[in-house]
Amino acid sequence: MREADVGIQAGDPIFLSPDYGVNSLLSLYGQSTKFRRYTTETRRNYATDISLLLTFLSNRQMEWTSATARDVEDYEHWRRLASENPDRIGGAKWDRELAAFTSLYGWAVAEGHVLRNPVVMKQVMGREGAVIMVPAARAKDARRSNVHWLTPRTWRRWMDIGLRGHTQGGVPEPGWVGRLEDRNVAFVRLLTSSGLRRSEGGSLLTFEVPTRRLEESRYYRGKVAAAVTRSKTTRTFYVAADAVGEIDAYVASSRTWAIRRAQRKGLYLRLPEMRMVTEVTRRISPVVRWRDGAGATGERELAALTVAERMVLFTEGPHGPEPLWLWLNERGLPFQPHSWDGVFATANQRCETVLTPANRVGLDPHQVFAPYATPHSARHSFALYMLVVLNTLMDQRFGLAPEERRDFRQLYGDPWFMVQNLLGHASRETTVTHYLAPVADLQLRSMLAGAAELTSAPMPELDATFARIARESEGIQDLDTRMHCLSGGFA
């Protein structure tokens, strides 16, 4: 292939000039070690952001290598402030674009392709006290994360209406035909009960799903591979037993059907790349061994397998090759992690259609009538849920006195620390400030006031506690069984 001959790998962006010619210099950036070390999603986002800047500069009849600080300032004005621009962006989006430009021009200066970086930099004090350089034009109004919390019962309603096709009355809509409904529900249940990121839960292999055992357990333990995490560190995750049951049901039903359909069509045999797994070793650092279509063998640590490598792993089933990638599309091929955004968007649209009164359609910015969810809001909601549960367990289940609670926390860490570990955050600040902002300033006793109310609900639900927190905190979506908003204006 011509791409391989010039060093282009899968995932490298190819930038085209206005005359549709390949820009060789920008292509070198796409092939640089710096760019390739970014995650798949970051590479895709950065390439898109850079393309927009290139178009802006091209309209000025200017090469990107000649851009000045004034050009970047003008671009920011157009993207963020110009009244003539109908699609202005917010501070967080601008900061991401600025990071993309900083990466490109930093590489270009280091390689000698550009004399001066048009992105003005300044010195700031980092988290660890070290002085670091950051873009001076970072937005002051940027929200560090687009956070959405849904209480457990609101998630159940969102899934029933958005994914299962229920009506406002709680019954399936006549004629509803859900596309891979069991898959979608299983995935959402996985995220909401484990706190895994979209890319982490979306790239699981079948043998990485915890196995249900005969003895009863509310949670099962699994491992998420380092290569698919943001921190590049293998981490333990816990997932609810009923969520594992949903995954098992999906594997036994629509997933099996999609695989058999693909096998009958000979789809897998026509794939350009297939690695037939021959063994997964049992050791502290498991190794996956395979044989490819040409008969060559290879191996790699399970923790080091990237998303792209996981997609081409197969096993020999009773009717032929079967993907080891857990989540499949209707054709029986791997469903890519970023594609889950479309599933969530469709479910949000259905919730809005079913639940929003006719006179408020398009006029419900705070999701008062219909819940709104994203893959990452499942992670935020998990953090909030686990904080409440762990505090409840510590205070109620163990009956700790204040002095005993201090001793317990010195030995095992407080619930905030436990949630930080479950999420895989390196910084406690991220957990407290961004994921648990609505309750960061609430004392434990005010959160769990009225313990008698808790005993009437099963421990996995804690609906009464979450309803109280939602009423007292901004940004948490909570709807009761009648779909009434109970969150003081923010459902």
Side-chain angles (χ1 to χ4, degrees):
M1 292 172 51
R2 289 184 299 174
E3 291 84 356
D5 292 340
V6 295
I8 297 176
Q9 300 178 5
D12 291 346
I14 297 176
F15 294 93
L16 301 181
S17 302
D19 60 359
Y20 303 105
V22 175
N23 188 302
S24 58
L25 185 54
L26 285 168
S27 296
L28 286 178
Y29 168 68
Q31 298 171 46
S32 66
T33 301
K34 178 178 186 177
F35 187 81
R36 285 175 174 170
R37 282 178 176 169
Y38 296 136
T39 64
T40 301
E41 185 171 1
T42 297
R43 293 199 302 270
R44 183 172 57 247
N45 289 338
Y46 276 20
T48 301
D49 296 339
I50 290 170
S51 296
L52 292 173
L53 175 64
L54 295 175
T55 301
F56 177 83
L57 295 174
S58 177
N59 290 336
R60 290 188 162 193
Q61 307 298 313
M62 177 180 293
E63 291 289 335
W64 68 275
T65 51
S66 303
T68 66
R70 178 59 184 271
D71 294 313
V72 176
E73 292 173 2
D74 290 346
Y75 183 66
E76 178 188 9
H77 176 79
W78 170 255
R79 292 290 281 158
R80 300 195 60 211
L81 305 172
S83 59
E84 302 88 349
N85 184 359
D87 297 313
R88 293 189 297 273
I89 62 174
K93 178 64 168 60
W94 169 249
D95 281 356
R96 193 193 79 183
E97 293 189 5
L98 203 56
F101 309 152
T102 302
S103 174
L104 170 63
Y105 282 105
W107 168 85
V109 170
E111 295 295 322
H113 303 303
V114 173
L115 293 178
R116 181 175 297 177
N117 188 345
V119 180
V120 179
M121 308 295 287
K122 67 177 181 180
Q123 292 183 340
V124 298
M125 190 73 71
R127 285 181 179 176
E128 307 301 326
V131 176
I132 60 175
M133 299 295 292
V134 300
R138 286 198 304 180
K140 294 181 174 59
D141 61 341
R143 290 187 303 170
R144 291 295 139 203
S145 55
N146 188 18
V147 182
H148 299 279
W149 295 270
L150 285 76
T151 60
R153 64 179 174 183
T154 305
W155 273 112
R156 294 193 295 273
R157 277 296 190 176
W158 184 88
M159 284 187 282
D160 284 344
I161 292 176
L163 300 179
R164 293 191 171 107
H166 287 192
T167 65
Q168 192 170 18
V171 297
E173 185 176 286
W176 166 259
V177 179
R179 295 179 57 192
L180 294 174
E181 174 184 317
D182 57 344
R183 181 201 67 180
N184 298 341
V185 170
F187 181 75
V188 175
R189 289 287 296 115
L190 169 69
L191 295 195
T192 56
S193 73
S194 68
L196 291 174
R197 295 181 176 90
R198 181 192 63 182
S199 59
E200 295 169 346
S203 58
L204 287 177
L205 303 175
T206 52
F207 58 79
E208 291 178 309
V209 178
T211 303
R212 287 190 297 177
R213 297 179 293 275
L214 292 178
E215 67 272 18
E216 288 190 11
S217 179
R218 179 163 288 161
Y219 282 88
Y220 293 118
R221 184 175 60 185
K223 291 279 189 180
V224 58
V228 302
T229 67
R230 182 170 296 175
S231 63
K232 304 305 175 188
T233 304
T234 298
R235 153 174 121 256
T236 298
F237 70 91
Y238 293 85
V239 57
D242 58 344
V244 175
E246 297 272 11
I247 295 174
D248 290 345
Y250 157 64
V251 169
S253 54
S254 63
R255 186 180 189 276
T256 298
W257 176 85
I259 290 174
R260 288 291 293 121
R261 188 166 178 261
Q263 289 171 335
R264 287 193 296 269
K265 292 184 174 182
L267 179 60
Y268 299 140
L269 300 178
R270 298 194 301 270
L271 293 176
E273 185 177 9
M274 176 191 294
R275 293 177 176 178
M276 191 64 66
V277 173
T278 56
E279 182 186 12
V280 181
T281 63
R282 297 180 60 185
R283 56 177 71 168
I284 295 177
S285 300
V287 171
V288 178
R289 294 177 176 147
W290 66 79
R291 182 183 65 257
D292 65 19
T297 59
E299 66 176 43
R300 191 169 177 82
E301 281 193 12
L302 175 62
L305 287 171
T306 65
V307 171
E309 290 171 330
R310 288 165 167 263
M311 287 185 177
V312 298
L313 295 181
F314 281 73
T315 186
E316 191 63 53
H319 303 285
E322 297 182 0
L324 281 171
W325 185 272
L326 176 61
W327 310 105
L328 305 179
N329 60 25
E330 290 171 301
R331 298 181 63 205
L333 296 175
F335 192 70
Q336 298 195 35
H338 69 267
S339 297
W340 286 108
D341 289 344
V343 174
F344 275 75
T346 301
N348 287 330
Q349 181 60 52
R350 174 167 171 76
C351 286
E352 182 178 6
T353 300
V354 172
L355 299 174
T356 307
N359 65 332
R360 293 295 298 271
V361 172
L363 301 173
D364 184 26
H366 302 300
Q367 294 89 50
V368 172
F369 298 101
Y372 175 87
T374 66
H376 212 62
S377 63
R379 184 166 159 84
H380 294 136
S381 300
F382 165 81
L384 178 65
Y385 174 75
M386 289 307 300
L387 179 69
V388 174
V389 168
L390 290 171
N391 271 310
T392 302
L393 287 173
M394 188 174 290
D395 278 21
Q396 271 198 330
R397 193 70 60 89
F398 300 136
L400 299 177
E403 311 80 42
E404 295 171 325
R405 188 182 301 115
R406 283 193 297 269
D407 293 339
F408 186 93
R409 288 175 175 172
Q410 287 178 349
L411 285 171
Y412 301 107
D414 64 11
W416 297 90
F417 175 75
M418 297 177 190
V419 173
Q420 175 189 338
N421 284 338
L422 287 171
L423 295 172
H425 285 158
S427 167
R428 175 189 172 104
E429 178 187 358
T430 300
T431 308
V432 175
T433 305
H434 303 314
Y435 282 70
L436 296 169
V439 293
D441 59 344
L442 296 181
Q443 294 297 322
L444 174 63
R445 290 190 180 277
S446 67
M447 273 207 316
L448 300 177
E453 191 176 348
L454 290 174
T455 60
S456 62
M459 188 66 192
E461 309 301 335
L462 289 172
D463 284 344
T465 301
F466 283 105
R468 181 163 53 252
I469 294 173
R471 286 195 299 268
E472 298 172 357
S473 308
E474 181 177 316
I476 301 177
Q477 301 176 54
D478 182 47
L479 302 172
D480 67 9
T481 55
R482 296 163 297 174
M483 301 308 297
H484 288 175
C485 169
L486 302 176
S487 307
F490 287 84

